Amino acid sequence: MDLKLNGKDISAGLLFLVTIVFLRLVWGLLAQKSRRRLPPTVKTFPLIGGLLRFMKGPIVMVREEYAKLGSVFTVNLLNRRVTFFIGPEVSSHFFKAPESDLSQQEVYQFNVPTFGPGVVFDVDYSVRQEQFRFFTEALRVNKLKSYVDQMVFEAEDYFSKWGDVGTVDLKYELEHLIILTASRCLLGREVRDKLFDDVSALFHDLDNGMRPISVLFPYLPIPAHRQRDRARARISEIFESIIKSRKCSGYSEDDMLQCFIDSKYKNGRPTTEGEITGLLIAALFAGQHTSSITSTWTGAYLLKYKEYMSAAIEEQKNLMKKYGDKVNHDILSEMDVLYRCIKEALRLHPPLIMLLRQSHSDFTVKTREGVEYDIPKGHIVATSPAFANRLPYIYKEPDRYDPDRFSPGREEDKAAGQFSYISFGGGRHGCLGEPFAYLQIKAIWSHLIRNFEFELVSPFPEIDWNAMVVGVKGQVMVRYKRRMLSIVE
Ligand code: HEM
């Protein structure tokens, strides 16, 4: 028998070997894929079922599915898979992951036509990080101290225009006061003193151009988007002229605008006028509705629960005994009772009900029950402050307004670790304006408590789930009577 192999035999043998290796590789990959422990998926009608449930009410859907599927589950929204992480154990990775694993850029793209080009979600993470450093600098304690003086001035001025008695819509009043304060502290004296009406009308159009539909289709040619674009262009012109005239005159102000003018990138490049404008718009969008909504909820709860209003009054009396009428950054920082009242309103009603990231790599999460899930690259990952802030294994009687749950000794917000309270997000992208927001709301409510008595005359407000920044539905009518808080026993 001739056992000699010719060239053809060798080629056939090699082909056979390569095929086997290839098949094993494919099989290995498939097996690995099928071994992946994917999160359970929400059962809905194919294609649009998930979207319909989501649109009907995302929090209702999260509540129902959390009860059925647990703390990690996926919902199919058209062609996207959105995986929810509920609770501090699983959301830890959401908050801590580096941008290369979980990023904001894609999911928050819809902000670009509003904030404008060259800033925040329109730039690479390395540039965005530098721009967020400008925010951090502009919100340092030494800056906050000067902003507080302006916040107090604005509150005194605004409420001096109220009569001795009257009935007002608290929501409307606080919205107006907060836009005035934000204008002064963030946008600067020129806008606040001379251009307030023009600029606030333009901001109104900008705001109106951010609709739920804008999240999916930010450039859809609808009237609201066209008006948004016109307003954005006009805001650019106004700010460019303000910035140029500040730069030319050489004078300097205590506001965020000045901080952004003075900011420089690592390579020494100063910020451009377009970037400054975009960053200011981003600051206003981040801080204005969120703060005004929180100040309204705080008021509604204080008026409903007399025992907490009495505790807040007592605190103001003690501070007045110590410092007289003076209110500044350090005095506001001593208002612990008021702080807890605001924090509890914000636990029950976080204005940003859903936080999102895009996953760029496969990773694993472990639930508090010890179950592990593999989250594939390409999923959108979501967490919900509105739902997670009311988890009963973290908060006792979670639906009850109980500011004392944050008091020393109880501190329920720390009981289950770092991410038990997420109204301000946390970790890598935690809110940079949190201290600013508390100071602003405290400046308003300490002034109101010291100078007025209130009674809620409309029913306790409901939640407006339809808004982009979720707030108070309808009016919040209160009757007020001017009186000086007496510190004489
Ligand atoms: C009650 C008021 C406020 C609430 C509830 C709030 C809430 C939040 C939340 C939840 C995030 C995280 C978003 C995410 O993880 O995707 C955030 C981020 C941020 N907030 Fe606030 N915010 C408030 C006020 C403010 C104010 C007054 C400013 C500025 C003046 C501000 C500036 C920012 C900025 C710059 C970020 C982005 C941080 C980053 O990505 O690194 N916020 N805020």
Side-chain angles (χ1 to χ4, degrees), residues 150-179:
Q150 300 166 25
M151 291 169 184
V152 172
F153 171 83
E154 287 292 343
E156 285 172 358
D157 184 54
Y158 192 87
F159 296 119
S160 71
K161 292 172 188 142
W162 280 11
D164 286 338
V165 287
T167 303
V168 288
D169 175 6
L170 193 63
K171 179 173 122 179
Y172 174 91
E173 297 292 320
L174 297 182
E175 260 169 25
H176 275 241
L177 171 55
I178 281 191
I179 177 109

Short mmCIF file of all heavy atoms in Angstrom, two decimals, residues 150-179:
data_model
loop_
_atom_site.label_atom_id
_atom_site.label_comp_id
_atom_site.label_asym_id
_atom_site.label_seq_id
_atom_site.Cartn_x
_atom_site.Cartn_y
_atom_site.Cartn_z
N GLN A 150 -26.77 87.44 47.10
CA GLN A 150 -27.68 87.82 46.02
C GLN A 150 -29.02 87.07 46.13
O GLN A 150 -30.08 87.62 45.85
CB GLN A 150 -27.02 87.52 44.67
CG GLN A 150 -25.72 88.32 44.50
CD GLN A 150 -24.86 87.82 43.35
OE1 GLN A 150 -25.34 87.23 42.41
NE2 GLN A 150 -23.56 88.05 43.44
N MET A 151 -28.95 85.81 46.59
CA MET A 151 -30.19 85.03 46.78
C MET A 151 -31.06 85.70 47.84
O MET A 151 -32.27 85.85 47.68
CB MET A 151 -29.87 83.61 47.28
CG MET A 151 -29.19 82.71 46.29
SD MET A 151 -28.60 81.21 47.13
CE MET A 151 -27.76 80.40 45.79
N VAL A 152 -30.41 86.11 48.94
CA VAL A 152 -31.16 86.72 50.05
C VAL A 152 -31.76 88.05 49.58
O VAL A 152 -32.93 88.34 49.83
CB VAL A 152 -30.22 86.92 51.27
CG1 VAL A 152 -30.90 87.73 52.36
CG2 VAL A 152 -29.77 85.56 51.80
N PHE A 153 -30.96 88.82 48.85
CA PHE A 153 -31.45 90.10 48.35
C PHE A 153 -32.67 89.89 47.45
O PHE A 153 -33.69 90.58 47.59
CB PHE A 153 -30.34 90.83 47.56
CG PHE A 153 -30.84 92.04 46.86
CD1 PHE A 153 -30.97 93.25 47.52
CD2 PHE A 153 -31.24 91.97 45.52
CE1 PHE A 153 -31.47 94.37 46.87
CE2 PHE A 153 -31.75 93.08 44.86
CZ PHE A 153 -31.86 94.28 45.55
N GLU A 154 -32.58 88.92 46.54
CA GLU A 154 -33.69 88.68 45.60
C GLU A 154 -34.95 88.27 46.35
O GLU A 154 -36.05 88.71 46.02
CB GLU A 154 -33.32 87.61 44.58
CG GLU A 154 -32.32 88.05 43.52
CD GLU A 154 -32.86 89.10 42.55
OE1 GLU A 154 -34.08 89.28 42.45
OE2 GLU A 154 -32.03 89.75 41.88
N ALA A 155 -34.80 87.40 47.37
CA ALA A 155 -35.98 86.93 48.13
C ALA A 155 -36.62 88.11 48.86
O ALA A 155 -37.85 88.31 48.80
CB ALA A 155 -35.58 85.83 49.11
N GLU A 156 -35.79 88.94 49.53
CA GLU A 156 -36.34 90.09 50.27
C GLU A 156 -37.08 91.03 49.32
O GLU A 156 -38.19 91.48 49.60
CB GLU A 156 -35.20 90.86 50.95
CG GLU A 156 -34.69 90.12 52.18
CD GLU A 156 -33.42 90.75 52.77
OE1 GLU A 156 -32.91 91.75 52.20
OE2 GLU A 156 -32.95 90.24 53.79
N ASP A 157 -36.45 91.28 48.18
CA ASP A 157 -37.03 92.21 47.21
C ASP A 157 -38.36 91.67 46.66
O ASP A 157 -39.36 92.37 46.59
CB ASP A 157 -36.00 92.39 46.07
CG ASP A 157 -36.48 93.41 45.07
OD1 ASP A 157 -36.79 94.53 45.50
OD2 ASP A 157 -36.56 93.08 43.86
N TYR A 158 -38.35 90.38 46.32
CA TYR A 158 -39.54 89.78 45.71
C TYR A 158 -40.74 89.82 46.67
O TYR A 158 -41.83 90.26 46.32
CB TYR A 158 -39.25 88.33 45.30
CG TYR A 158 -40.31 87.74 44.41
CD1 TYR A 158 -40.26 87.91 43.04
CD2 TYR A 158 -41.39 87.04 44.95
CE1 TYR A 158 -41.23 87.40 42.21
CE2 TYR A 158 -42.38 86.52 44.13
CZ TYR A 158 -42.30 86.70 42.76
OH TYR A 158 -43.28 86.20 41.95
N PHE A 159 -40.50 89.38 47.91
CA PHE A 159 -41.64 89.26 48.83
C PHE A 159 -42.03 90.62 49.44
O PHE A 159 -43.11 90.75 50.01
CB PHE A 159 -41.35 88.22 49.92
CG PHE A 159 -41.20 86.83 49.35
CD1 PHE A 159 -40.00 86.12 49.48
CD2 PHE A 159 -42.23 86.25 48.64
CE1 PHE A 159 -39.86 84.85 48.92
CE2 PHE A 159 -42.10 84.98 48.08
CZ PHE A 159 -40.91 84.29 48.21
N SER A 160 -41.16 91.63 49.28
CA SER A 160 -41.55 92.97 49.77
C SER A 160 -42.71 93.50 48.91
O SER A 160 -43.43 94.40 49.33
CB SER A 160 -40.35 93.92 49.71
OG SER A 160 -40.07 94.21 48.35
N LYS A 161 -42.90 92.90 47.74
CA LYS A 161 -43.98 93.37 46.84
C LYS A 161 -45.32 92.71 47.17
O LYS A 161 -46.34 93.10 46.62
CB LYS A 161 -43.59 93.14 45.39
CG LYS A 161 -42.42 94.05 45.01
CD LYS A 161 -41.84 93.77 43.66
CE LYS A 161 -40.57 94.59 43.47
NZ LYS A 161 -39.52 93.90 42.78
N TRP A 162 -45.32 91.72 48.02
CA TRP A 162 -46.59 91.12 48.45
C TRP A 162 -47.28 92.09 49.41
O TRP A 162 -46.62 92.89 50.09
CB TRP A 162 -46.34 89.80 49.19
CG TRP A 162 -46.08 88.60 48.31
CD1 TRP A 162 -45.85 88.59 46.97
CD2 TRP A 162 -46.03 87.23 48.73
NE1 TRP A 162 -45.65 87.30 46.53
CE2 TRP A 162 -45.75 86.44 47.60
CE3 TRP A 162 -46.17 86.58 49.96
CZ2 TRP A 162 -45.63 85.06 47.65
CZ3 TRP A 162 -46.05 85.21 50.02
CH2 TRP A 162 -45.79 84.45 48.88
N GLY A 163 -48.61 91.98 49.51
CA GLY A 163 -49.34 92.82 50.46
C GLY A 163 -49.22 92.26 51.88
O GLY A 163 -48.41 91.38 52.16
N ASP A 164 -50.07 92.78 52.79
CA ASP A 164 -50.06 92.28 54.17
C ASP A 164 -50.80 90.96 54.27
O ASP A 164 -50.47 90.12 55.11
CB ASP A 164 -50.69 93.31 55.12
CG ASP A 164 -49.73 94.48 55.31
OD1 ASP A 164 -48.52 94.27 55.09
OD2 ASP A 164 -50.21 95.58 55.63
N VAL A 165 -51.85 90.83 53.48
CA VAL A 165 -52.57 89.55 53.40
C VAL A 165 -52.88 89.28 51.93
O VAL A 165 -52.94 90.22 51.13
CB VAL A 165 -53.92 89.56 54.18
CG1 VAL A 165 -53.75 89.52 55.67
CG2 VAL A 165 -54.79 90.73 53.74
N GLY A 166 -53.07 88.04 51.60
CA GLY A 166 -53.40 87.75 50.20
C GLY A 166 -53.41 86.26 49.93
O GLY A 166 -53.09 85.45 50.82
N THR A 167 -53.82 85.93 48.72
CA THR A 167 -53.82 84.52 48.30
C THR A 167 -53.02 84.44 47.00
O THR A 167 -53.26 85.23 46.08
CB THR A 167 -55.26 84.04 48.06
OG1 THR A 167 -56.00 84.25 49.27
CG2 THR A 167 -55.31 82.55 47.73
N VAL A 168 -52.06 83.52 46.97
CA VAL A 168 -51.20 83.40 45.78
C VAL A 168 -51.04 81.93 45.39
O VAL A 168 -51.28 81.03 46.21
CB VAL A 168 -49.78 83.97 46.04
CG1 VAL A 168 -49.76 85.47 46.13
CG2 VAL A 168 -49.13 83.32 47.27
N ASP A 169 -50.61 81.73 44.15
CA ASP A 169 -50.22 80.39 43.72
C ASP A 169 -48.72 80.25 44.03
O ASP A 169 -47.87 80.86 43.37
CB ASP A 169 -50.47 80.24 42.21
CG ASP A 169 -49.98 78.91 41.66
OD1 ASP A 169 -49.54 78.05 42.46
OD2 ASP A 169 -50.01 78.73 40.42
N LEU A 170 -48.44 79.49 45.06
CA LEU A 170 -47.06 79.36 45.55
C LEU A 170 -46.13 78.85 44.45
O LEU A 170 -44.99 79.29 44.31
CB LEU A 170 -47.05 78.38 46.73
CG LEU A 170 -45.78 78.34 47.55
CD1 LEU A 170 -45.51 79.66 48.23
CD2 LEU A 170 -45.89 77.24 48.61
N LYS A 171 -46.65 77.93 43.63
CA LYS A 171 -45.83 77.36 42.56
C LYS A 171 -45.38 78.45 41.59
O LYS A 171 -44.19 78.56 41.28
CB LYS A 171 -46.64 76.28 41.83
CG LYS A 171 -45.91 75.63 40.70
CD LYS A 171 -46.71 74.48 40.14
CE LYS A 171 -46.98 74.67 38.68
NZ LYS A 171 -47.74 73.58 38.08
N TYR A 172 -46.32 79.29 41.18
CA TYR A 172 -46.02 80.36 40.23
C TYR A 172 -45.03 81.35 40.84
O TYR A 172 -44.06 81.76 40.21
CB TYR A 172 -47.35 81.06 39.87
CG TYR A 172 -47.20 82.28 39.02
CD1 TYR A 172 -47.23 82.19 37.64
CD2 TYR A 172 -47.02 83.55 39.60
CE1 TYR A 172 -47.08 83.32 36.85
CE2 TYR A 172 -46.87 84.68 38.82
CZ TYR A 172 -46.91 84.57 37.45
OH TYR A 172 -46.75 85.69 36.68
N GLU A 173 -45.28 81.70 42.11
CA GLU A 173 -44.42 82.70 42.77
C GLU A 173 -42.99 82.19 42.90
O GLU A 173 -42.04 82.91 42.63
CB GLU A 173 -44.97 83.02 44.18
CG GLU A 173 -46.35 83.63 44.19
CD GLU A 173 -46.38 85.04 43.60
OE1 GLU A 173 -45.43 85.81 43.85
OE2 GLU A 173 -47.33 85.35 42.85
N LEU A 174 -42.84 80.93 43.30
CA LEU A 174 -41.48 80.41 43.51
C LEU A 174 -40.75 80.20 42.18
O LEU A 174 -39.55 80.43 42.10
CB LEU A 174 -41.52 79.12 44.35
CG LEU A 174 -42.08 79.32 45.77
CD1 LEU A 174 -42.04 78.02 46.56
CD2 LEU A 174 -41.32 80.40 46.52
N GLU A 175 -41.50 79.82 41.16
CA GLU A 175 -40.88 79.71 39.83
C GLU A 175 -40.29 81.05 39.41
O GLU A 175 -39.16 81.12 38.94
CB GLU A 175 -41.96 79.35 38.79
CG GLU A 175 -42.01 77.89 38.42
CD GLU A 175 -43.26 77.56 37.61
OE1 GLU A 175 -43.83 78.46 36.94
OE2 GLU A 175 -43.68 76.40 37.67
N HIS A 176 -41.06 82.12 39.65
CA HIS A 176 -40.60 83.44 39.24
C HIS A 176 -39.41 83.91 40.04
O HIS A 176 -38.44 84.45 39.50
CB HIS A 176 -41.75 84.45 39.32
CG HIS A 176 -42.56 84.42 38.08
ND1 HIS A 176 -42.71 85.49 37.25
CD2 HIS A 176 -43.20 83.40 37.50
CE1 HIS A 176 -43.42 85.14 36.21
NE2 HIS A 176 -43.74 83.87 36.34
N LEU A 177 -39.49 83.71 41.34
CA LEU A 177 -38.38 84.14 42.18
C LEU A 177 -37.10 83.39 41.79
O LEU A 177 -36.02 83.98 41.70
CB LEU A 177 -38.72 83.90 43.67
CG LEU A 177 -37.57 84.09 44.63
CD1 LEU A 177 -36.93 85.47 44.49
CD2 LEU A 177 -38.04 83.91 46.08
N ILE A 178 -37.24 82.09 41.52
CA ILE A 178 -36.03 81.31 41.24
C ILE A 178 -35.41 81.68 39.90
O ILE A 178 -34.19 81.73 39.78
CB ILE A 178 -36.32 79.80 41.40
CG1 ILE A 178 -36.29 79.54 42.90
CG2 ILE A 178 -35.32 78.93 40.63
CD1 ILE A 178 -36.29 78.17 43.40
N ILE A 179 -36.21 82.05 38.94
CA ILE A 179 -35.60 82.49 37.67
C ILE A 179 -34.87 83.83 37.87
O ILE A 179 -33.80 84.05 37.31
CB ILE A 179 -36.59 82.50 36.48
CG1 ILE A 179 -35.95 83.03 35.20
CG2 ILE A 179 -37.82 83.26 36.69
CD1 ILE A 179 -35.72 81.99 34.19
#
